[in-house]
Structure formats: structure tokens, C-alpha cells
Amino acid sequence: MPTPHGAPDVVIIGAGVIGSAIAWRAATRGLRVTVIDPDPASGASHVAAGMLTPVSELTYGEEPLLHLGIASRDRYASFVAELEDASGLETGYRSDGILEVAFDTDDLAFLDDLRRFQESLGITTEALNGRECRRLEPMLAPSVRGGLLAPRDGSVDPRRLTAALLAACRNEGVRLVRERAAGVIVEHDTAVGVRLDDGGEVRAAKVVLAAGAWSNDLAGLPEGAVPEVRPVKGQVVRLRTRVPFLRRTTRGVVRGSSIYLVPRADGEIVVGATQEEMGFDTTVTAGGLWQLLRDARELLPGITELEFVEVSAGLRPGSPDNAPVLGAGALDGLFLASGHFRNGVLLTPITADVMAEILADGTVPEVAAPFAPGRFGVEARA
Ligand code: GLY
């Protein structure tokens, strides 16, 4: 269907890290792009710590995701270099490795298993004893048993990243509509635009759904057009230090439960995260806060001296298999970029490049093929 005169080529629902990165990349390929979001970068992207850890976060049964994650991590350096140039803003990107430590003997056994699993997939991490961990991070508790160093993992500051993406979008001529998307306009079995909460509409030849945990919250879509995306709550604490405290991102396993601490150059330390299946609840709870600070203190006793800055809760978008859903959906004209679950920030560069290629050229890069919506019985038609 031809795009009405003056209408964008692409309209994107959602200006979180995924939607704004797709918008920027699509615009640099010459597409006219409009993004719809009442409050850009205010959802999960605002809460996320920004770990870039495909190796450290490797989970049994998620091997295809590991390859996508590594591919995305490995294009981060060039992605942020281009973005910082395009926006004039820094992103806080670091690629100085991630240390994962074990609190007790059982936790160390878990890390040993993880290292064997990583090795079976051809990924080498360095096994360290407790003393070697403390040489890297002197503030670690004497009781820390040992750990693994993933030398190529890293981090980025998602708040800076989204600010840079939105600035780069502006510079590239992307139009931002600060309204809630109420629904998708479907005519003749084809998505042709987005209906806004205020009654207005934005028509475009291609509609991209990048609404994170709210991806099923749109009227007008036929049943089954979008796989189910569920909200998975994560509570995150932000602290600040004025003295050197933590050199690199440190993950820990404390009596079987996971914790991570992500330091920034300005002294901020982000401690995360709970993982709770609670629906659309973003209440910060005493229990969530206590769990994070308790486990952080087991690993880094000095943490209680740091300044408290903020606690927040966000909603990760979880697809039925916890992997992202990328590409054309069952409805002509509708494209999906959702369900990134724990990996939205990590998968931003690859998602943006893959979706820009699909939107501009109509071809699906090989790396994205396992993540097509069709794996849930949603057949591609666009
Ligand atoms: N990727 C970290 C988290 O989702 O908590």
C-alpha cells in the first residue's frame, strides 16, 4: 500500500532503548521515521543497570541467545562510537570485563558448572581463587571463595544511551510524537498506522511494535498477531561513592541468589536486580530493597557506607521463551521488536541493525532468523 503524501515510511511504537535505536538506524538508512511514546526512555530502559554480559548471564537452554548476545556485545564499541559522534553525547560504555564471584562453597560449585558449560560452547573465562578476585577488587569480602573473569563483557549507562539515541534521532530528522499509542490501524488485513490516545493517527507503510512489556496493550490487532509478552519486575538500587570502591562490573552468587553491581565513572553504583512475576506492578518493596542490600553487603561489606541515591522498579518484557521477537509478524505491515527480557540493553545494537535491514531492504539477517515471530506459530506476512 503506498504511503500517504507526507506520511513517514515507518512508525515505531515505543521510544525506549529498542524503539529509539531502531528509529535512529532506520533513519540513517534514509527512511522517514516517526516514534510514538508519551514519555520516552521512562520504562525499563530508565531502570536498567546496563550490563553487557552475554557470557556471565549465560543460562542453560538459551544457547541461541548467547550467540545473538555476543554478536551484539561485539558491535557495541562501533555502535556507541557512531552514536556519540551523531549525538555529541557520551554513553558511559565500558568493555573492561566482568567479574563473577561466589559467596560460599555451593555458589563456587555453581560457577564451576557455569564455566564448564561456557567451555562446552567454546567460550573461555578465567577461573580465579578468592585471593585473585580480591586482587582485582580489593573491597570484596575475605569470605569470597573464587570467581570467573569474562574479559570481554562490559557495561553501558542506559540513561545516557537513551539520551544519546533520542538526540541522534532528532539530528537525523526522526519525528517524536509524545502521545500514548492506543491501537494499531488495520485495513484490509494490513497494519497501516497507529491510533493515538488523543484520537489522532499516524499512518505509515510499516508499523514497528517496540513497546516492551506493553506490547500486548494495543487495540485493533487480530488475535495471535503478537506473541504474549509478560512483564517481569526488577527492583534496582542506585548508590554513590566519592572514593574508589569497585573497578568493574561484579556479579555475585550469594547462597544461590544472583546480584550484580555496575560502577560508573561518576561514582554511581547500580545494584540489581530482583526478578518478580507480579504483572504490571512497579511498587518498590522493603523486601526487594533488603534482598539487594543484604546480598551486596555479603560480597562488599563496605557498601553500607555508600550514599543512597535511588531505588526504582522496571518491567522487563519476557516473551514465551525469554528470547527477543524480531521481524515481520502475522499481519502485513506489522513488525515486532519486543520480548528482550533481561537483555534489552545488550541486544540494542543488533536489534537496531537487524530491524533497519528488514525495514529498508526486506531481508532478514541470518543472525536474527532464530528469533523470528514465526517460532510461536506467528507466520511472517509483511
Ligand atoms: N540484565 C539484568 C537484569 O535484567 O536484571
Side-chain angles (χ1 to χ4, degrees):
M1 172 172 298
T3 309
H5 181 69
D9 301 306
V10 179
V11 57
I12 300 174
I13 303 170
V17 69
I18 295 294
S20 54
I22 296 169
W24 175 52
R25 282 310 218 206
T28 59
R29 296 187 66 140
L31 296 173
R32 289 168 302 165
V33 182
T34 294
V35 184
I36 297 172
D37 197 313
D39 198 2
S42 64
S45 313
H46 187 70
V47 176
M51 284 190 300
L52 308 176
T53 57
V55 172
S56 315
E57 287 222 315
L58 177 61
T59 305
Y60 294 99
E62 293 186 354
E63 291 85 341
L65 189 55
L66 171 74
H67 298 299
L68 190 72
I70 288 177
S72 198
R73 180 201 65 189
D74 289 349
R75 63 176 77 182
Y76 239 100
S78 60
F79 182 84
V80 295
E82 208 181 314
L83 177 61
E84 291 182 353
D85 194 43
S87 64
L89 297 173
E90 288 186 1
T91 60
Y93 170 65
R94 299 172 59 164
S95 57
D96 45 1
I98 285 190
L99 179 64
E100 179 148 31
V101 298
F103 174 71
D104 66 19
T105 315
D106 287 345
D107 298 327
L108 191 58
F110 170 82
L111 284 194
D112 276 345
D113 277 354
L114 180 64
R115 187 173 54 79
R116 275 192 287 275
F117 180 42
Q118 288 164 342
E119 269 174 11
S120 74
L121 298 171
I123 293 158
T124 313
T125 48
E126 196 183 335
L128 306 174
N129 63 29
R131 193 173 307 124
E132 289 165 332
C133 290
R134 279 182 290 281
R135 201 172 297 139
L136 290 179
E137 293 297 343
M139 300 302 280
L140 281 173
S143 51
V144 162
R145 295 297 174 112
L148 301 176
L149 182 67
R152 298 181 61 192
D153 282 0
S155 67
V156 71
D157 183 339
R159 293 181 180 180
R160 289 179 187 268
L161 181 67
T162 44
L165 284 166
L166 291 170
C169 279
R170 267 194 308 276
N171 294 344
E172 206 58 52
V174 172
R175 182 173 160 239
L176 175 65
V177 175
R178 286 179 177 266
E179 275 294 333
R180 199 182 79 85
V184 174
I185 306 169
V186 179
E187 292 174 356
H188 310 294
D189 292 332
T190 303
V192 295
V194 177
R195 197 172 312 286
L196 306 176
D197 231 8
D198 68 358
E201 52 184 48
V202 178
R203 290 192 171 243
K206 291 171 181 162
V207 177
V208 178
L209 181 53
W214 291 268
S215 294
N216 298 119
D217 194 25
L218 289 156
L221 288 172
E223 198 164 327
V226 179
E228 196 170 325
V229 178
R230 68 191 197 285
V232 183
K233 177 177 171 181
Q235 300 188 49
V236 170
V237 178
R238 284 174 158 81
L239 307 172
R240 184 171 305 285
T241 177
R242 293 178 202 287
V243 295
F245 186 77
L246 196 64
R247 295 173 181 157
R248 63 174 62 68
T249 296
T250 301
R251 293 174 53 89
V253 193
V254 180
R255 298 187 194 92
S257 129
S258 285
I259 178 113
Y260 52 81
L261 299 100
V262 183
R264 311 251 192 254
D266 65 0
E268 182 179 73
I269 295 183
V270 187
V271 185
T274 64
Q275 189 166 313
E276 305 161 68
E277 307 264 353
M278 307 270 296
F280 286 91
D281 167 43
T282 50
T283 312
V284 168
T285 62
L289 187 55
W290 176 73
Q291 176 193 322
L292 292 172
L293 294 178
R294 176 200 64 194
D295 290 350
R297 192 184 63 164
E298 295 285 23
L299 298 179
L300 293 145
I303 200 124
T304 51
E305 303 300 321
L306 304 191
E307 180 189 347
F308 172 82
V309 178
E310 182 191 311
V311 59
S312 51
L315 299 173
R316 307 172 181 94
S319 75
D321 63 4
N322 292 336
V325 187
L326 305 175
L331 188 68
D332 280 342
L334 181 68
F335 297 80
L336 310 179
S338 186
H340 289 73
F341 192 41
R342 295 179 61 97
N343 296 300
V345 178
L346 168 66
L347 297 177
T348 291
I350 199 114
T351 299
D353 289 345
V354 159
M355 293 303 294
E357 187 161 336
I358 292 172
L359 294 167
D361 300 340
T363 51
V364 180
E366 206 180 313
V367 68
F371 304 98
R375 72 187 190 278
F376 302 117
V378 177
E379 289 309 322
R381 292 188 49 195

